[in-house]
Amino acid sequence: MANFNEHDLTDEVISSFANTPNTRLKFLIEETVKSLHDLVRRTELTFEEWNQAIEFLTRTGQTCTPLRQEFILLSDVLGVSMLVDAVNHREREGATETTVLGPFYVGEHRVTPHGANISEGIDGEVMFVQSRVTDLAGKPLAGAEIDVWHADDDGFYDSQKADYAAQGPSLRARFVTDADGRFSFRTILPCSYPIPTDGPVGDLITATKRHPMRPAHVHFLVKAEGYEPLITHVFLDGDEYLRSDVVFGVKDELIARVEPRNEPALPNGERVSGPWHLMSYDFQMRPGAGLVPQPMMAAE
């Protein structure tokens, strides 16, 4: 007759997965059961609290759409995304530091000419980005693919806007490095912004009295044959939220000084009126292989 108490129940549940053929899956399930059961015992969890947790996770799933991934956002604000990143990138060997992918990578980046303006029709202060991709020894990597994306002057990504399906992407593109490993583009100066707070993750942030802000940054996903894919941000120096990023994504190496400039032409020769900003940042790639991330939700 089964008569499990709070201690031997855990062993019984673990033994129920004994025939799992995939050894890694078996290990992960067993460790999850141990950790979850231990949490219940240590906190003396009540039925009401467990039901609230289930309801919260249910609402998190219901908030997800083809353009919004609330579970990634939850992972980010709990620091799990950065912990997984840290565990999987312990040895950088001089390569550029990694950080979170974030919930706004949609996998829909079109190849764009060097120096192109990816902010057509978007208000904001002009910023020109010039960059280079090399190996660890400084050798330029030609033909590397770089996806870039960032928020607008109001702190919104294109995929957050109601007209995204009709208007298509903006402030995102793909570039391919030239023979010297270089690429460049014109855009607008990004600003710090709040993560979406109109869902269950926002409720969590509010209930715990945390601020929802991310410091200003540009996302980069760099891929080169024979090298590990690089997922990272470049943050703007001087932002007030660099030391309190709500998703814990800032690393000192990823902070770049953005220089105010007054020349009448951008580095690509395009004429401008008034001041503009220059971001310069180079990426060093680590040899190896790895999976290129795919958007967690379907892209349009």
Side-chain angles (χ1 to χ4, degrees):
M1 178 180 294
N3 187 25
F4 307 122
N5 61 35
E6 66 180 81
H7 299 289
D8 58 22
L9 176 60
T10 302
D11 291 336
E12 190 69 20
V13 174
I14 290 174
S15 69
S16 73
F17 294 104
N19 295 325
T20 304
N22 185 311
T23 56
R24 178 65 177 175
L25 175 61
K26 179 174 180 289
F27 170 74
L28 292 175
I29 291 175
E30 289 174 349
E31 293 302 309
T32 300
V33 170
K34 291 177 188 177
S35 297
L36 189 55
H37 282 217
D38 185 52
L39 171 67
V40 173
R41 281 189 291 266
R42 284 189 294 104
T43 61
E44 297 185 340
L45 199 68
T46 67
F47 282 110
E48 180 182 7
E49 290 165 339
W50 184 234
N51 286 334
Q52 288 175 341
I54 291 173
E55 191 271 340
F56 174 81
L57 292 175
T58 300
R59 288 195 297 121
T60 300
Q62 291 170 339
T63 304
C64 296
T65 73
L67 295 176
R68 176 169 179 168
Q69 231 303 350
E70 194 78 357
F71 273 110
I72 292 180
L73 195 61
L74 178 59
S75 173
D76 289 349
V77 303
L78 293 178
V80 178
S81 298
M82 279 304 295
L83 183 57
V84 173
D85 177 79
V87 167
N88 283 271
H89 297 103
R90 288 184 172 124
E91 299 296 331
R92 296 305 296 152
E93 300 175 359
T96 299
E97 290 288 347
T98 58
T99 191
V100 293
L101 179 66
F104 300 113
Y105 176 66
V106 301
E108 188 183 321
H109 296 75
R110 299 187 178 94
V111 175
T112 306
H114 294 183
N117 183 2
I118 69 170
S119 60
E120 288 283 359
I122 306 294
D123 293 333
E125 300 179 39
V126 174
M127 182 174 78
F128 194 85
V129 178
Q130 56 186 18
S131 186
R132 193 172 186 233
V133 180
T134 72
D135 66 10
L136 298 182
K139 176 185 175 182
L141 298 181
E145 295 183 346
I146 304 94
D147 287 356
V148 302
W149 66 103
H150 69 86
D152 64 17
D153 198 32
D154 294 319
F156 291 101
Y157 288 82
D158 53 2
S159 59
Q160 292 180 279
K161 300 177 182 179
D163 62 355
Y164 176 67
Q167 296 297 325
S170 61
L171 299 176
R172 67 173 74 235
R174 173 173 293 174
F175 298 94
V176 179
T177 56
D178 63 16
D180 197 34
R182 300 185 185 278
F183 68 98
S184 63
F185 58 96
R186 173 181 171 171
T187 186
I188 61 169
L189 190 72
C191 64
S192 50
Y193 64 87
I195 61 170
T197 56
D198 59 341
V201 173
D203 293 342
L204 175 65
I205 292 296
T206 300
T208 53
K209 304 299 184 183
R210 288 175 60 185
H211 77 67
M213 301 299 294
R214 296 219 65 203
H217 59 273
V218 179
H219 292 261
F220 293 86
L221 168 57
V222 188
K223 297 169 287 183
E225 186 175 355
Y227 296 84
E228 292 181 356
L230 172 64
I231 300 169
T232 198
H233 306 1
V234 175
F235 296 90
L236 276 63
D237 192 16
D239 191 285
E240 63 178 305
Y241 297 106
L242 284 173
R243 303 306 171 198
S244 61
D245 181 7
V246 68
V247 308
F248 313 99
V250 180
K251 297 179 181 179
D252 288 343
E253 183 190 306
L254 300 178
I255 300 172
R257 182 173 181 268
V258 177
E259 303 174 21
R261 305 295 285 264
N262 289 294
E263 293 91 336
L266 301 176
N268 64 353
E270 183 180 354
R271 305 290 293 183
V272 291
S273 59
W276 51 280
H277 307 267
L278 178 65
M279 174 189 281
S280 300
Y281 195 90
D282 294 346
F283 301 93
Q284 291 77 44
M285 303 292 284
R286 186 174 187 265
L291 295 175
V292 175
Q294 299 297 317
M296 295 297 290
M297 306 300 284
E300 300 69 42

